[in-house]
Amino acid sequence: MVHELGATAKLFNLMSHEERVIVRNSTMAFALLSGHPEVRKFLRQNPQIIDKIISFLSPDYDALTNEYAALWLKNMSEDYSTKTVLASNQDALINLINMLSVHDPDAVYNSVGTLDKLVADYQPRQVIRELKGIEPILNLIKSEFPQIQETVFSALAKITQNGKKKIL
């Protein structure tokens, strides 16, 4: 596997390159690699990586960089430890919410997918409410893409749950 050959660390260095095409391509490769559990385990060991990826969720970068940065975050939020780091990072949540209004459906899908995974826990639900993130999520119900709609409904179902459920 590419990760075992040391490519993951080298890709991270390329993400800081001054050439935007190199940044985009390394982000794409990074996002695809993050689908593998061993790679995610390696990536969790370096908190700088999360901050770097979050910074790519910006209009300063092209649509593909945004899309694959969101995919990376969605893959990384499979693991509880990364999910808690993302959920406690207000910049990450703000950037993800802002990505919901871009024109690239893949970036929107990956962003709402990340939010859907984060709102499985109570704390991010509260923060998303405070950041007024429910309305942008709700607006995606009108999307022409069924995958986005399904993910939106899943996220909304979780966001509207009361975190103080009592078992009698």
Side-chain angles (χ1 to χ4, degrees):
M1 175 185 211
V2 177
H3 170 67
E4 293 167 352
L5 297 173
T8 311
K10 290 178 179 144
L11 279 172
F12 177 66
N13 292 334
L14 289 174
M15 291 172 63
S16 297
H17 200 276
E18 61 189 44
E19 191 66 40
R20 290 290 175 131
V21 173
I22 293 173
V23 171
R24 181 190 67 214
N25 292 341
S26 62
T27 304
M28 290 169 66
F30 225 44
L32 296 173
L33 283 172
S34 68
H36 192 277
E38 286 299 313
V39 174
R40 287 196 304 267
K41 181 179 176 183
F42 171 80
L43 295 174
R44 282 193 310 269
Q45 297 170 1
N46 188 347
Q48 292 175 323
I49 294 174
I50 294 174
D51 293 334
K52 188 69 167 171
I53 293 290
I54 290 168
S55 73
F56 291 157
L57 295 176
S58 158
D60 296 340
Y61 292 94
D62 64 29
L64 278 175
T65 304
N66 293 161
E67 173 188 338
Y68 282 96
L71 175 62
W72 187 89
L73 291 171
K74 186 169 99 174
N75 287 341
M76 291 299 291
S77 60
E78 290 285 334
D79 302 311
Y80 182 77
S81 60
T82 308
K83 190 188 308 187
T84 56
V85 169
L86 288 174
S88 64
N89 185 326
Q90 194 164 353
D91 289 338
L93 295 174
I94 290 170
N95 288 356
L96 286 166
I97 291 168
N98 290 338
M99 290 299 298
L100 299 178
S101 62
V102 300
H103 298 292
D104 179 6
D106 293 320
V108 171
Y109 175 69
N110 291 331
S111 297
V112 77
T114 304
L115 290 169
D116 180 44
K117 290 180 181 186
L118 295 177
V119 297
D121 299 323
Y122 177 72
Q123 188 63 30
R125 291 182 217 156
Q126 203 57 28
V127 175
I128 288 172
R129 286 185 197 123
E130 291 168 5
L131 294 173
K132 307 211 182 308
I134 294 176
E135 185 177 344
I137 294 171
L138 201 55
N139 288 336
L140 291 175
I141 291 174
K142 298 180 260 183
S143 172
E144 62 185 89
F145 301 99
Q147 297 89 346
I148 292 175
Q149 292 174 336
E150 287 176 28
T151 310
V152 165
F153 288 130
S154 174
L156 288 172
K158 293 171 188 169
I159 289 171
T160 56
Q161 288 178 353
N162 184 356
K164 300 176 182 173
K165 290 183 180 178
K166 295 181 180 178
I167 299 174
L168 298 175

